[in-house]
Amino acid sequence: MTTRTTRAATALLGGAAALLALAAPAAAAPDATSGGLDVTAQRLVLEPTDKGYVGTLAATVTNRKPTATSVNLVITEPAGASFATIEPGGACLYDRLVENRLVVSCMGDRIEAGQSATFRLGFHVWTTTRDYPMVADGGRIEVVPAGAARAADATGFTTLFRATTGSLRKPRPYVQATETDLSIRGGAVTLNRQPDGSLLGRMPVTVRYGNDAPTFALDVEAALPDGVGVHHIEPQDMPSFPNWFTVPGGRFMPGEERTFDVFLSAPVGTPAGELGTGTFTVAGGYLWGTDPQDVDPADNSTSFAVTAVDAS
């Protein structure tokens, strides 16, 4: 993931799942020397909504040690980019990928000797809801004593996607896309002379997200004629810069199209006339170094003519 999409994904975690500045090492398999803590969890049931499937998993950690112990949780998602929240808990960090699903390390809570604490883990799978139930295996929770390098205990959990009919019977496997299916469309843009002598023009841009491959944000790189830069976008919910911006509106549903305005500018002294050709290229951001490939990179870019005109 680029630096900018890392910032975007961090913001999406929010609150209790913000970026952990100093992460503990990734948890290894439990062993006898790191015991004293037990973790249990039942199945996760995801409910259909107008924005995919949402659900909460309760995980209970019991402290069998003779002293109070602070714990961290290491969560392997049941579907890519689906982990959303932990309560109670502290900051979280994206650690690595397992079969294109994130392993997330979260600061937990302090548990008194002989006591238990229940953590509520929120998940949101951004996929099209179906009229039949689905199932995903591979979800996993590890409990790690604070400061330890190894897990004290671990448990897997099964995830069921409830059908839009309400059924959970005879679920089919949920298969998530691994390659994005993005496209971007734009058109010629005219920059008009402003009262201060600079140039400014508006260009409608449409981005489409074709499937449910996991990403957190879509960034658009801008290759523009000399002197021309991105001024801002509307609506704007993330900062934009002269040579890139983030598509507004947050996560996409499969098949969703989103149209917004990109404003291009050029400085005082830029002459009227044809300024050249610009290109916008859209890409998805997931985890650092593992940004997804696209099924058809040809439609990930759009080119357009840029013209400057003086005020009439």
Side-chain angles (χ1 to χ4, degrees):
M1 188 186 297
T2 60
T3 300
R4 53 181 173 273
T5 50
T6 301
R7 290 197 298 266
T10 301
L12 286 170
L13 273 175
L19 181 65
L20 179 62
L22 296 174
D31 66 8
T33 64
S34 59
L37 297 169
D38 296 329
V39 58
T40 60
Q42 296 180 332
R43 67 184 186 182
L44 169 64
V45 177
L46 297 173
E47 303 292 341
T49 73
D50 60 354
K51 292 289 186 181
Y53 293 85
V54 175
T56 301
L57 175 69
T60 299
V61 178
T62 300
N63 180 13
R64 295 188 287 102
K65 293 176 178 287
T67 58
T69 303
S70 296
V71 301
N72 299 323
L73 297 184
V74 179
I75 302 131
T76 302
E77 304 177 304
S82 64
F83 175 77
T85 57
I86 179 172
E87 295 180 357
C92 294
L93 175 72
Y94 298 147
D95 189 351
R96 62 191 186 278
L97 290 180
V98 173
E99 297 177 345
N100 213 42
R101 294 171 288 121
L102 285 163
V103 178
V104 186
S105 300
C106 294
M107 295 177 63
D109 209 349
R110 180 180 173 88
I111 305 175
E112 297 299 323
Q115 300 297 308
S116 297
T118 297
F119 298 89
R120 296 174 298 279
L121 310 178
F123 295 90
H124 188 167
V125 181
W126 294 73
T127 191
T128 305
T129 56
R130 278 81 155 180
D131 61 1
Y132 55 85
M134 296 184 292
V135 63
D137 293 319
R140 180 177 170 86
I141 302 169
E142 300 175 3
V143 58
V144 185
R150 300 183 69 85
D153 194 23
T155 185
F157 62 90
T158 296
T159 300
L160 290 173
F161 297 68
R162 190 183 299 279
T164 54
T165 62
S167 175
L168 288 174
R169 296 184 60 190
K170 297 182 179 179
R172 307 178 193 179
Y174 170 58
V175 180
Q176 187 176 30
T178 59
E179 296 183 324
T180 57
D181 184 12
L182 308 176
S183 65
I184 185 170
R185 303 191 306 273
V189 59
T190 298
L191 308 186
N192 297 289
R193 190 76 63 186
Q194 304 298 297
D196 66 355
S198 65
L199 293 160
L200 185 68
R202 179 180 68 89
M203 176 182 173
V205 173
T206 299
V207 171
R208 184 177 189 276
Y209 202 101
N211 60 18
D212 66 353
T215 62
F216 288 109
L218 301 185
D219 282 340
V220 178
E221 299 281 355
L224 299 168
D226 289 345
V228 179
V230 175
H231 186 271
H232 70 284
I233 65 173
E234 293 181 2
Q236 180 128 22
D237 53 18
M238 294 288 289
S240 56
F241 298 87
N243 63 346
W244 71 271
F245 56 87
T246 298
V247 176
R251 297 276 292 272
F252 277 73
M253 283 292 291
E256 180 181 352
E257 284 195 355
R258 198 172 293 169
T259 298
F260 53 97
D261 290 329
V262 180
F263 287 79
L264 301 181
S265 63
V268 174
T270 302
E274 300 293 332
L275 300 183
T277 299
T279 300
F280 288 155
T281 301
V282 64
Y286 190 19
L287 183 69
W288 174 263
T290 60
D291 290 343
Q293 300 297 309
D294 195 84
V295 297
D296 181 14
D299 61 1
N300 288 20
S301 296
T302 184
S303 296
F304 48 89
V306 183
T307 303
V309 297
D310 290 321
S312 56

